[in-house]
Amino acid sequence: MNTSFFKSWYLLITVALIGIFIAIPSSLHSSTYTLLSGWVSFLLLIIVFLYTVRKRLYQLKLSPETRFRVPLKKLERAEARFNAIRGNIRQGNLKTKREIEQVAHRVLKEEQVQRVLRIEVVPNPSSPKKGTGKGTEKSNDPFSIQVFPTEPLGRVSVWLRAHLYLGFAFGVIVLFHGGGSFDSITGWSLNLLTLIVVLTGIVGIFLFSLGPSWITEKEKDLPYEKAFVYRQSLTEKILEIGKGLPPALEKLSRELANHPKQVAQKLPQLQSPSIQLDPQSQKSVQDLLVLLSQRERVSGALESVWKIKFAINFWRWIHIPASVLLMGLVFIHIYSVWRF
Amino acid sequence: MHDPAEPSDLLEKIQGIPLFKDIKGKLLKELAQDVRIEPFEAGKVLLQQGEYTSSFYVVLQGLTTAYRAEADGATEIVGTHSAGDWFGEMPALSHQAQFATVKASSPCVLLVISDHRFRQAYQRVKGFAKLIDERYRERALAIHLRSAPLFKGASRELLDHLSENAQLVTFKEDSTIATEGQVAEAVYLVRSGVIKRVGVDPQTHHETIQAYLCENSSFGECALSSQPIWPATYKTMTRVDVVQLTRDQFRQVYRKVQGSELLLTQTAEALNLEESGAYVDSVAPSSAELDLMVNKKAVVGGRALVIDLKRCTRCNACVESCVAVHDDGIARLNKRGIRTEAGEHMLTSACYHCKIPECMLSCKYGAIRRDLNGGIDFLFDNCTGCSKCEESCPYGVISIAEMFDPKIAPEPTKSSFFKELPVLNWVFKNKETESFDSKIKKAIKCDLCAGMPFEACVYNCPCSAISRIDPEQFAAEGLFDHD
Ligand code: SF4
Ligand code: SF4
Ligand code: SF4
């Protein structure tokens, strides 16, 4: 199970936000409360949607941080200078963490690579291992400079957690905002859509955290990629053996090779052919039967993985359209409140 | 600044250098086409200790000095190079980091040769290799020996005598250097390559990998102890260059340097004692993951991209994001790779940036090099698409892709929002494909998203399922048990 989805600072933010809205009503005028909860939930919805926007922009190569690319020459010059700093650390010319950080940051700036690289200066705990173990030259410096990509927008996995928890907070605060009212069409549809989006999201996240283990379990005997290639090669073998058979059986074997769904129906024709076969052809038919049953098994394994893949993704068929609709309705709602 | 020397002038210059006297004919001409002459000001650092270099240097004019900073902060001058001398042979040969810093002591002019040409000459011309090895023995071997624990307290005199006697030996991949239970006849220091140390269970006869040894590791200290029996079997996993010192050679040295026998045998006994217990805590028992990594030679990989299959929803975002950062639209990553025995982790087919990059060794055109950071880069212009690297990479991470020749065809127009829309996308792609008929073949592999502020696959995985891991760390720290 991927429990990492459930460990996030956004969980705390969500709890805090919901807590605040539970605590407020007694001390605040109701229209202020409605306005506040309305705007906060709108803001949350925007943040939640940004996750999708970011993913889409990236796929379209329009994500802003892809414009940060720096020429390799600059990276290499920076790396050469980091090596020089490492030499100075080794010789004891740079002693404190602060000193090293200052010099390293200057390199980042002067080589204009600070948008793509960041550094961390860490104390080097490990002294070289003795004897016949590992290299004896490593890790002797008191500090090491580690270089990492800046990842300016943060990892998508962090955005997903924001999407999850803030989406949930949105659902709850929207309920507070409307007071759970189902008496107008807008209130009714907004509440219903919110409920659908939040519930499908919750189902989704549980499926995402459990699904990979199910797939991995299924793949233990035959990994998906291997099964795919294996099935292909079995089909090719079936076609090849079929070529050496009398025309009627050759046609049948081609059909069986190309249309796996017809195997159950047409297999008896191969098991007891209507024509007399020479010993060589009889052996080929036996081989074909073995190959067909092997392919059935591999196809079965592939299908079970597909089924899980489908199962862990089906909720999106409801979640995504419902979210788009919800976004539309929210805008209509805000416009109508502002206009009338 | 490059010297605008004509190839014929260069040929003459090279022929005039004693180091190259045995290189002749086609090889010499090829060498002349692939060298450059560079002037440097006094004080300029030419090579930094610890950095990787893809060149071999010969001093044409001036003086350079090599000095090495030791762990205790002391700096020692390793040697000076005047006209006709050379440096950079160790990184160019064995792909390890430069072991000393080299500085121009006066204004100087250097002949710079790419590492693949240097290796070609070293492997093909015996006389050239002999000169290089002799100089290595004179200049670097004593210092190299000192890195082995056995020689830690040895005097310069003792080290010099040992260097004179030592042999430089090369073993092919899959050779057995020593067998468990047999008499240990020599001490070895690894110059380059990877060796695995295996123990055999006397009852089940199962082999267990206890450790792997990379450059600068030593083994066989037991040869000098009172029980000179190999405690394990040592097998090569790649081509391995070692420094070998036999017991006879030690005896000769003992006669020349007073007190050396006592010093070395005592150190060997101490190391032997330490070693007999060392593996119990450190690496044994060998986990399934460790076996996998070692057997699949992943240990020579610097940084492997690993997918945690219990987190991965198989959404393909990693592959798609790799496509998105490469202008040629070809993914450097596919989710086919080596799975651990339990099937829970997969080493993907993205480049491991190997410590011993087989791809680089196989490329005749100098199209693969190691950058200063140790990463393995392809030089697009030099690549002829011959596919030798594809065949030699043990992990199958290189693919040969067909693409437009940027020298002939204009760059494919950049993607835009409208061009990505369903129908328009099809129209644009067809138009672009129609407009050029000249395609070339180039080798491609993971370039760590060079120049980008992220590694796209890791950056875009929504499930934190994919990460870059040092295989050594993977084995040592059991990083995969994070759930
Ligand atoms: S992006 Fe992450 S979850 Fe998706 S396929 Fe790649 S590794 Fe798996
Ligand atoms: S690091 Fe970059 S180039 Fe390498 S596989 Fe990941 S996305 Fe592709
Ligand atoms: S391409 Fe293959 S051999 Fe070369 S560095 Fe990468 S993983 Fe190693």
Side-chain angles (χ1 to χ4, degrees):
Chain A
M1 181 175 181
N2 185 0
T3 51
S4 71
F5 290 126
F6 307 106
K7 296 172 199 159
S8 169
W9 287 109
Y10 290 104
L11 175 61
L12 295 183
I13 298 175
T14 302
V15 172
L17 269 175
I18 295 173
I20 291 170
F21 277 95
I22 291 173
I24 286 174
S26 55
S27 59
L28 211 69
H29 191 269
S30 76
S31 69
T32 316
Y33 181 83
T34 309
L35 209 61
L36 186 67
S37 57
W39 281 116
V40 168
S41 46
F42 178 66
L43 194 73
L44 288 174
L45 189 64
I46 296 291
I47 298 173
V48 166
F49 262 84
L50 278 179
Y51 165 73
T52 318
V53 172
R54 181 197 163 169
K55 275 185 32 176
R56 190 73 195 124
L57 280 179
Y58 189 91
Q59 282 162 358
L60 296 176
K61 301 185 185 179
L62 298 173
S63 193
E65 82 275 36
T66 52
R67 311 256 179 268
F68 289 4
R69 190 196 287 257
V70 297
L72 292 186
K73 278 267 164 289
K74 285 190 176 179
L75 288 178
E76 291 208 336
R77 264 203 314 268
E79 193 50 49
R81 290 181 64 184
F82 287 141
N83 276 332
I85 299 175
R86 288 182 186 116
N88 277 325
I89 299 173
R90 200 167 300 130
Q91 287 169 40
N93 300 340
L94 289 170
K95 289 202 177 69
T96 64
K97 189 172 173 210
R98 226 182 114 74
E99 264 176 343
I100 301 166
E101 274 170 353
Q102 272 173 354
V103 185
H105 280 130
R106 200 177 321 133
V107 171
L108 290 178
K109 217 167 147 206
E110 284 170 8
E111 298 301 340
Q112 296 165 331
V113 293
Q114 73 272 43
R115 290 214 293 190
V116 298
L117 295 183
R118 72 184 169 84
I119 53 116
E120 266 180 33
V121 177
V122 289
N124 229 339
S126 50
S127 56
K129 290 226 164 111
K130 283 191 186 151
T132 57
K134 303 200 177 141
T136 51
E137 288 264 292
K138 291 179 194 163
S139 315
N140 249 335
D141 306 343
F143 287 102
S144 73
I145 302 181
Q146 297 180 353
V147 185
F148 300 96
T150 46
E151 300 189 341
L153 296 185
R155 292 193 179 177
V156 169
S157 54
V158 177
W159 283 57
L160 176 61
R161 282 153 186 77
H163 176 85
L164 289 178
Y165 290 106
L166 301 184
F168 182 77
F170 159 80
V172 177
I173 297 170
V174 154
L175 274 183
F176 292 161
H177 170 72
S181 114
F182 283 82
D183 46 10
S184 69
I185 291 195
T186 322
W188 192 87
S189 27
L190 269 176
N191 279 333
L192 186 71
L193 277 175
T194 306
L195 214 65
I196 292 173
V197 170
V198 171
L199 284 181
T200 48
I202 292 174
V203 170
I205 208 58
F206 274 99
L207 287 172
F208 264 29
S209 50
L210 290 167
S213 301
W214 298 337
I215 299 180
T216 308
E217 195 55 42
K218 279 268 175 246
E219 285 184 325
K220 258 195 180 146
D221 298 330
L222 192 56
Y224 183 75
E225 324 80 59
K226 271 198 192 151
F228 211 77
V229 178
Y230 193 30
R231 194 181 61 167
Q232 184 65 28
S233 82
L234 284 171
T235 305
E236 276 161 21
K237 271 191 199 153
I238 293 168
L239 282 169
E240 205 175 306
I241 293 179
K243 277 183 198 156
L245 290 172
L249 286 185
E250 198 232 316
K251 188 168 170 256
L252 179 63
S253 64
R254 223 171 349 160
E255 282 168 6
L256 291 172
N258 295 330
H259 305 286
K261 292 223 169 88
Q262 295 180 7
V263 170
Q265 184 203 337
K266 293 196 172 162
L267 201 62
Q269 295 174 35
L270 192 65
Q271 282 162 332
S272 42
S274 51
I275 51 168
Q276 195 68 33
L277 294 176
D278 58 71
Q280 178 59 36
S281 300
Q282 276 174 8
K283 193 180 166 296
S284 298
V285 167
Q286 285 311 316
D287 289 346
L288 270 184
L289 289 171
V290 172
L291 289 174
L292 281 166
S293 79
Q294 278 179 354
R295 197 184 61 175
E296 281 292 275
R297 267 212 321 276
V298 174
S299 299
L302 271 176
E303 234 163 78
S304 57
V305 171
W306 274 329
K307 275 185 196 148
I308 302 176
K309 275 193 178 184
F310 176 78
I312 62 176
N313 283 302
F314 87 91
W315 56 274
R316 299 167 82 172
W317 294 85
I318 309 168
H319 184 78
I320 296 172
S323 310
V324 175
L325 226 84
L326 176 65
M327 191 68 165
L329 267 186
V330 167
F331 276 109
I332 293 171
H333 171 66
I334 294 173
Y335 177 75
S336 55
V337 170
W338 168 72
R339 194 85 176 82
F340 308 110
Chain B
M1 241 210 305
H2 288 198
D3 190 312
E6 290 293 314
S8 53
D9 296 345
L10 280 172
L11 198 66
E12 248 173 55
K13 270 201 172 107
I14 296 172
Q15 276 172 326
I17 301 170
L19 171 67
F20 299 110
K21 69 179 186 329
D22 289 322
I23 302 179
K24 300 208 163 73
K26 197 171 158 230
L27 192 61
L28 184 69
K29 279 193 194 129
E30 282 172 355
L31 194 73
Q33 281 166 4
D34 221 5
V35 299
R36 56 181 204 275
I37 292 179
E38 281 192 44
F40 292 95
E41 290 158 13
K44 170 100 185 146
V45 174
L46 309 168
L47 272 181
Q48 191 80 46
Q49 180 176 338
E51 85 180 8
Y52 291 90
T53 167
S54 308
S55 306
F56 169 73
Y57 302 84
V58 182
V59 182
L60 296 180
Q61 279 169 35
L63 192 72
T64 66
T65 309
Y67 55 91
R68 183 178 156 80
E70 293 297 340
D72 56 11
T75 304
E76 182 187 1
I77 293 191
V78 179
T80 52
H81 319 107
S82 52
D85 275 341
W86 59 88
F87 56 89
E89 69 274 23
M90 281 306 284
L93 263 187
S94 64
H95 326 291
Q96 33 178 301
Q98 172 66 9
F99 93 116
T101 298
V102 183
K103 225 180 195 180
S105 310
S106 68
C108 54
V109 180
L110 302 181
L111 185 76
V112 186
I113 302 174
S114 68
D115 60 343
H116 84 283
R117 286 283 176 229
F118 169 73
R119 270 198 310 275
Q120 242 175 19
Y122 183 85
Q123 279 160 8
R124 290 199 206 157
V125 185
K126 275 203 178 122
F128 178 73
K130 200 168 159 232
L131 281 175
I132 296 285
D133 281 349
E134 272 170 10
R135 186 59 61 88
Y136 164 76
R137 186 193 298 276
E138 276 168 29
R139 223 164 39 190
L141 185 52
I143 293 163
H144 199 179
L145 283 178
R146 200 168 52 199
S147 67
L150 178 63
F151 307 120
K152 270 270 143 74
S155 64
R156 184 70 207 220
E157 188 199 0
L158 174 55
L159 289 172
D160 284 343
H161 279 293
L162 287 167
S163 316
E164 268 168 35
N165 284 277
Q167 276 172 287
L168 306 180
V169 186
T170 301
F171 289 96
K172 284 196 188 129
E173 182 178 339
D174 286 334
S175 335
T176 302
I177 301 180
T179 309
E180 184 174 349
Q182 290 190 354
V183 177
E185 288 291 351
V187 177
Y188 297 90
L189 176 66
V190 185
R191 288 171 73 195
S192 70
V194 183
I195 295 171
K196 61 181 173 184
R197 179 191 144 121
V198 291
V200 183
D201 186 317
Q203 263 138 34
T204 61
H205 299 285
H206 273 317
E207 279 193 353
T208 314
I209 294 161
Q210 298 173 333
Y212 57 88
L213 286 68
C214 302
E215 66 270 2
N216 294 325
S217 297
S218 60
F219 61 100
E221 290 86 352
C222 59
L224 305 186
S225 69
S226 52
Q227 283 181 312
I229 302 294
W230 285 111
T233 298
Y234 292 84
K235 288 182 180 174
T236 61
M237 296 172 69
T238 58
R239 189 194 121 114
V240 170
D241 295 306
V242 292
V243 179
Q244 185 189 44
L245 274 157
T246 62
R247 288 205 291 172
D248 283 342
Q249 285 158 345
F250 274 104
R251 271 181 221 122
Q252 287 173 28
V253 174
Y254 292 158
R255 283 198 287 272
K256 288 180 193 155
V257 186
Q258 251 197 354
S260 58
E261 183 169 6
L262 187 68
L263 172 79
L264 293 182
T265 46
Q266 274 182 353
T267 320
E269 291 288 0
L271 285 171
N272 240 10
L273 256 181
E274 199 175 291
E275 192 184 320
S276 56
Y279 293 99
V280 180
D281 307 333
S282 56
V283 223
S286 150
S287 67
E289 269 92 2
L290 177 61
D291 280 358
L292 173 105
M293 303 291 289
V294 177
N295 280 328
K296 301 283 180 196
K297 290 204 220 162
V299 290
V300 297
R303 282 164 285 174
L305 198 57
V306 178
I307 298 183
D308 181 342
L309 295 171
K310 284 182 121 181
R311 287 185 173 192
C312 170
T313 56
R314 282 65 165 176
C315 69
N316 225 27
C318 45
V319 178
E320 283 162 16
S321 52
C322 184
V323 171
V325 282
H326 291 99
D327 289 339
D328 54 25
I330 302 169
R332 270 66 174 163
L333 163 75
N334 67 46
K335 296 208 301 306
R336 251 175 263 139
I338 309 163
R339 289 185 184 226
T340 53
E341 227 156 82
E344 290 173 3
H345 298 98
M346 182 206 276
L347 292 158
T348 67
S349 62
C351 177
Y352 296 4
H353 300 272
C354 298
K355 286 180 188 155
I356 299 159
E358 304 272 351
C359 57
M360 190 161 119
L361 296 177
S362 72
C363 178
K364 283 198 223 150
Y365 303 96
I368 307 176
R369 51 150 221 175
R370 199 189 272 291
D371 67 22
L372 296 174
N373 196 16
I376 302 296
D377 281 349
F378 280 13
L379 299 178
F380 190 81
D381 283 348
N382 290 9
C383 177
T384 61
C386 75
S387 77
K388 276 272 177 289
C389 55
E390 186 192 19
E391 289 156 23
S392 65
C393 169
Y395 312 112
V397 312
I398 299 177
S399 44
I400 303 294
E402 280 206 336
M403 54 184 78
F404 298 112
D405 186 346
K407 283 187 196 140
I408 301 172
E411 254 188 47
T413 30
K414 288 240 158 58
S415 150
S416 79
F417 182 78
F418 296 105
K419 285 184 186 174
E420 295 293 335
L421 290 175
V423 177
L424 290 177
N425 150 333
W426 184 82
V427 174
F428 275 114
K429 276 210 176 107
N430 275 310
K431 234 178 134 194
E432 277 167 10
T433 322
E434 278 163 16
S435 50
F436 325 116
D437 49 7
S438 68
K439 279 192 175 177
I440 48 167
K441 284 186 174 173
K442 295 280 175 193
I444 54 162
K445 66 158 192 76
C446 164
D447 53 8
L448 293 166
C449 297
M452 285 294 187
F454 48 73
E455 282 184 35
C457 49
V458 178
Y459 192 53
N460 286 292
C461 170
C463 304
S464 323
I466 185 164
S467 48
R468 207 36 94 176
I469 282 175
D470 176 356
E472 215 171 293
Q473 214 183 345
F474 168 100
E477 294 175 19
L479 280 179
F480 282 77
D481 303 318
H482 47 51
D483 247 357

